[in-house]
Amino acid sequence: MKNEFLDGFVANMPIGISVFTYGSVLGVLSTQKGVELFELVLMNIFIFAGSSQFVLVQMWDNTLDIIAMITAALLINLRYFLVGASLNPLFKQSSKKEKFKYMHFATDESWAITMQRLKSQDITPKFLFGGGVCIFLTWFVGTVLGYNLGEFINDPKIYGLDFAFVAIFFALALSMYKGKQDITPWIITALVAVVSSLYIDGNFYIVIAAIVGSYSAVILHKRKSL
């Protein structure tokens, strides 16, 4: 019998190397911001969202602004409404209990690889779950190792470690390219993201760009279908 959990785990291992790298950067930053190791571990388990954790650690100081931190994390993770909606075909036979269990481990990386595999193969949510566990383990080990080595790395930029986060999302975007019909929505999304980031504080521009880009793709597709 095919083990889809293992398939998902293995499929995410190459990208897990990059996740490990920028996880170690978060560990280094955590030591510089005064985050305790147990706090980092709890953050990994209960939040498990790379971009949110980077923002939370950046906002970490002796006078924690809890509301601002929660708001920032919420806005960054709003994109998971869109991610969850896109996974509807995968979960159409699943119970709510399964959805809650598997979605906690869903990440941008495991989602992208699952969506790519879904185009060519019938898979179940266990594939997504296996990929999410792979990303979780590499992220967890990377952050803890970076935390313990943080005192030896004063500036991650010197070693190019800060670029790992950008590189992995660029690679994910390229892997989802389906043809020239994607070019226009991609350009619209990029322009909206750049322009809105100039006028809106925080990371809400990501959500705006994602919504506008998605709608532009739908409109263009409908026009071609007429």
Side-chain angles (χ1 to χ4, degrees), residues 104-178:
H104 178 67
F105 288 95
T107 64
D108 297 297
E109 296 84 2
S110 60
W111 165 77
I113 291 176
T114 299
M115 294 302 290
Q116 192 177 33
R117 183 64 64 91
L118 200 55
K119 294 175 191 172
S120 58
Q121 183 180 330
D122 288 331
I123 55 176
T124 69
K126 289 182 180 177
F127 184 92
L128 174 71
F129 184 50
V133 171
C134 175
I135 299 300
F136 174 79
L137 292 176
T138 52
W139 173 254
F140 193 95
V141 173
T143 56
V144 172
L145 188 63
Y147 188 91
N148 287 292
L149 296 178
E151 60 182 299
F152 304 108
I153 305 174
N154 293 324
D155 187 1
K157 293 181 181 178
I158 295 176
Y159 306 98
L161 295 175
D162 59 312
F163 187 68
F165 195 69
V166 178
I168 194 169
F169 278 90
F170 186 68
L172 287 173
L174 288 181
S175 71
M176 302 190 74
Y177 179 73
K178 294 181 291 187

Side-chain angles (χ1 to χ4, degrees), residues 9-212:
F9 192 99
V10 172
N12 280 265
M13 285 179 68
I15 212 164
I17 297 171
S18 296
V19 172
F20 173 87
T21 304
Y22 67 77
S24 65
V25 175
L26 179 69
V28 172
L29 291 175
S30 297
T31 61
Q32 296 173 351
K33 291 289 184 179
V35 179
E36 298 292 339
L37 180 59
F38 81 93
E39 293 169 330
L40 178 62
V41 167
L42 291 175
M43 205 185 293
N44 283 342
I45 295 172
F46 293 106
I47 298 178
F48 185 42
S51 51
S52 293
Q53 289 183 237
F54 269 101
V55 171
L56 293 179
V57 169
Q58 290 290 352
M59 298 173 71
W60 202 277
D61 55 31
N62 293 327
T63 54
L64 295 178
D65 187 346
I66 300 296
I67 294 180
M69 294 172 75
I70 292 174
T71 303
L74 179 64
L75 289 176
I76 293 170
N77 286 326
L78 276 178
R79 70 185 187 282
Y80 279 103
F81 281 109
L82 302 175
V83 168
S86 68
L87 287 169
N88 191 45
L90 187 70
F91 283 108
K92 59 186 177 183
Q93 302 295 332
S94 303
S95 65
K96 287 184 179 178
K97 183 179 178 181
E98 288 178 320
K99 292 178 182 176
F100 281 122
K101 181 171 65 175
Y102 295 149
M103 282 304 293
H104 178 67
F105 288 95
T107 64
D108 297 297
E109 296 84 2
S110 60
W111 165 77
I113 291 176
T114 299
M115 294 302 290
Q116 192 177 33
R117 183 64 64 91
L118 200 55
K119 294 175 191 172
S120 58
Q121 183 180 330
D122 288 331
I123 55 176
T124 69
K126 289 182 180 177
F127 184 92
L128 174 71
F129 184 50
V133 171
C134 175
I135 299 300
F136 174 79
L137 292 176
T138 52
W139 173 254
F140 193 95
V141 173
T143 56
V144 172
L145 188 63
Y147 188 91
N148 287 292
L149 296 178
E151 60 182 299
F152 304 108
I153 305 174
N154 293 324
D155 187 1
K157 293 181 181 178
I158 295 176
Y159 306 98
L161 295 175
D162 59 312
F163 187 68
F165 195 69
V166 178
I168 194 169
F169 278 90
F170 186 68
L172 287 173
L174 288 181
S175 71
M176 302 190 74
Y177 179 73
K178 294 181 291 187
K180 60 182 182 181
Q181 70 272 16
D182 289 342
I183 293 177
T184 301
W186 282 24
I187 291 174
I188 292 173
T189 304
L191 288 175
V192 172
V194 171
V195 173
S196 56
S197 69
L198 297 176
Y199 297 98
I200 300 174
D201 292 332
N203 295 285
F204 196 62
Y205 70 93
I206 297 174
V207 178
I208 295 174
I211 292 173
V212 174

